[in-house]
Amino acid sequence: MVQLQRFLNHSKIDVVFKQSKDDFVVNEVPLYEFSGEGEHLVLKLRKKDLATWDAIEILANYLKCSSREFGYAGLKDKNAMTVQHLSIHRKYEDALKNFAHENIKILETTYHNNKIKIGHLKGNNFFIRLKRVGLVEKQKIEEALGKIATFGMPNYFGFQRFGIDGENYKKGEKIVKGELKERNRNLKQMFINAYQSYLFNLWLSKRIEISKLIEAFEPKEIFEKLNLSLEEVKRAKKEPHPFKIITGDLLSHYPFGKIFIIDDLEVESQKFFEKDRVPTGLLCGKRVKKSEGFAQSIEKEFDVEMAEDGARRFAFIFPENLESNYKEDKNHMELNFYLPKGSYATELIAEILH
């Protein structure tokens, strides 16, 4: 994978983070409360050392049904302790009462009118434990957390998006170019999504690099290098947020809302700083709104024509409920935080540790 530009400017923090059921815990936050009635049984499930699909397959084999009968809102990490919700028709309720598995526990059940669908979640609460954290590292981590609390963090796709070898995007690129056929529809979709994600990460890395140059130099020293006008760079230099929005960017209200083109850059940059809206990046494809002006001159470098539908993705997100707890006797630092759906806890850790 390409080396991504980190938003925080600091040297690498040398501590240990290993994804495991003891040190990485994920709790799904549903998009809405379940109604408590309806034909779908909702399972609140705790699993360890299993991907979501692994757990569904185990349950489907137990019930002797197709895995397609299960609904879920999002895929959760394998190397973690995760709590998430699955749905299945309530006709299986009695059979599930005797279900037992060493890595899966059904914590509670309820009912809902609809099957749970992909994206039907608000976000996730995370608990992460870092090890071999000395007092110097503790201070650096707390400083990094303070900056993330103030400015947010880049919304990169995490390494999980790109497969075990990190190269699923290469297969996606070949499929898009017609150089590779993939008969399995799910695999084909996964490879193309990885390619879209790879291009988004490249774009975001480029924009962070540009933002850092604008912060570090006088406009007249770098405007030609950035291929932006002197006035544009002067304007960006005055923005309160270190990630610079530019003319033609498409913004979205945060944490959800309509996407719109920048009208007044000064006003919008202040609202971005206040966490009221964020710039968006392109997931290339059909039927997607494109940026304009200077923003488009950068975005077009990462825009590839393909048959898939495109989308816009937040360039930045704002983690909530950030808390740290230092265990000096064990040299452990425990972190708790909330991220909106589609964002990666591993990227927050990468941002902190560089």
Side-chain angles (χ1 to χ4, degrees):
M1 278 295 295
V2 67
Q3 183 66 38
L4 300 178
Q5 281 275 350
R6 288 293 154 203
F7 176 63
L8 298 178
N9 291 312
H10 59 65
S11 58
K12 186 180 177 190
I13 300 173
D14 190 18
V15 303
V16 173
F17 168 56
K18 185 179 180 183
Q19 273 193 244
S20 69
K21 61 180 171 50
D22 298 317
D23 299 334
F24 191 49
V25 181
V26 188
N27 272 280
E28 185 177 84
V29 181
L31 185 61
Y32 43 70
E33 282 190 30
F34 300 110
S35 64
E37 55 188 39
E39 63 181 26
H40 295 274
L41 179 69
V42 177
L43 312 174
K44 186 176 183 180
L45 206 72
R46 185 177 69 215
K47 62 179 186 61
K48 59 185 179 182
D49 299 329
L50 293 171
T52 299
W53 272 112
D54 298 331
I56 288 174
E57 192 172 339
I58 289 165
L59 285 160
N61 287 339
Y62 175 80
L63 294 173
K64 297 181 173 57
C65 71
S66 167
S67 59
R68 288 194 295 272
E69 294 202 40
F70 285 89
Y72 61 95
L75 298 174
K76 298 290 182 284
D77 295 83
K78 178 177 181 177
N79 299 317
M81 177 87 76
T82 65
V83 176
Q84 70 178 120
H85 297 84
L86 304 179
S87 69
I88 192 165
H89 197 279
R90 66 187 295 170
K91 68 184 179 184
Y92 293 107
E93 184 171 14
D94 286 342
L96 281 168
K97 284 177 180 173
N98 295 319
F99 174 79
H101 190 280
E102 61 181 355
N103 288 8
I104 300 173
K105 184 173 178 61
I106 298 172
L107 300 176
E108 56 186 66
T109 61
T110 185
Y111 307 103
H112 196 59
N113 315 90
N114 320 321
K115 184 178 183 178
I116 298 175
K117 293 183 179 168
I118 286 283
H120 281 196
L121 74 160
K122 186 180 177 188
N124 296 286
N125 288 312
F126 294 91
F127 165 85
I128 281 173
R129 183 182 288 115
L130 305 175
K131 295 178 177 177
R132 295 189 204 163
V133 182
L135 290 172
V136 173
E137 289 80 15
K138 169 188 177 287
Q139 186 175 347
K140 286 182 179 179
I141 291 168
E142 287 174 344
E143 287 172 3
L145 287 171
K147 287 181 181 176
I148 290 171
T150 302
F151 298 118
M153 62 178 253
N155 195 23
Y156 284 122
F157 285 97
F159 65 85
Q160 305 94 315
R161 186 77 165 181
F162 303 101
I164 293 169
D165 60 1
E167 299 200 337
N168 280 356
Y169 74 93
K170 291 183 178 179
K171 292 179 182 175
E173 182 178 12
K174 286 181 178 178
I175 291 168
V176 167
K177 289 180 176 177
E179 298 170 2
L180 179 69
K181 297 274 192 227
E182 175 53 67
R183 290 181 181 176
N184 185 305
R185 192 172 62 182
N186 289 336
L187 279 178
K188 179 182 176 183
Q189 190 69 54
M190 182 176 73
F191 294 146
I192 292 173
N193 289 159
Y195 184 42
Q196 291 172 309
S197 304
Y198 170 75
L199 292 167
F200 173 89
N201 276 6
L202 285 179
W203 167 83
L204 183 51
S205 200
K206 178 74 171 180
R207 285 293 299 266
I208 289 173
E209 180 186 12
I210 289 169
S211 296
K212 286 185 171 185
L213 289 169
I214 290 171
E215 284 266 292
F217 293 94
E218 288 304 310
K220 62 186 178 184
E221 295 176 300
I222 49 139
F223 77 96
E224 289 178 334
K225 175 180 170 61
L226 299 179
N227 203 25
L228 298 174
S229 76
L230 181 59
E231 284 306 308
E232 183 71 22
V233 178
K234 281 181 178 178
R235 209 163 37 228
K237 184 88 173 171
K238 294 176 184 174
E239 292 177 24
H241 197 287
F243 184 85
K244 306 305 180 185
I245 58 175
I246 55 179
T247 304
D249 262 332
L250 286 168
L251 270 64
S252 172
H253 296 277
Y254 189 89
F256 34 73
K258 287 187 177 179
I259 288 173
F260 60 94
I261 200 84
I262 286 181
D263 181 30
D264 187 324
L265 199 143
E266 188 177 339
V267 168
E268 298 302 341
S269 65
Q270 181 61 36
K271 289 185 177 179
F272 171 37
F273 179 65
E274 292 166 359
K275 305 184 174 80
D276 185 62
R277 56 206 55 189
V278 291
T280 66
L282 177 70
L283 290 171
C284 52
K286 298 185 303 180
R287 292 197 286 270
V288 60
K289 197 168 184 178
K290 306 286 182 75
S291 59
E292 300 175 6
F294 288 123
Q296 172 58 205
S297 69
I298 298 166
E299 187 172 280
K300 67 183 180 184
E301 185 183 340
F302 309 99
D303 188 3
V304 173
E305 280 190 29
M306 59 179 73
E308 302 301 304
D309 283 345
R312 306 293 304 187
R313 174 178 170 87
F314 291 155
F316 255 65
I317 50 141
F318 305 110
E320 296 174 27
N321 309 326
L322 265 169
E323 295 176 356
S324 64
N325 181 22
Y326 184 57
K327 301 287 182 72
E328 189 172 356
D329 57 327
K330 295 181 178 178
N331 281 5
H332 289 177
M333 175 77 96
E334 296 176 348
L335 307 178
N336 290 281
F337 54 92
Y338 165 84
L339 295 180
K341 69 176 180 179
S343 303
Y344 291 79
T346 49
E347 283 305 304
L348 185 144
I349 298 305
E351 198 63 43
I352 291 169
L353 304 183
H354 218 262

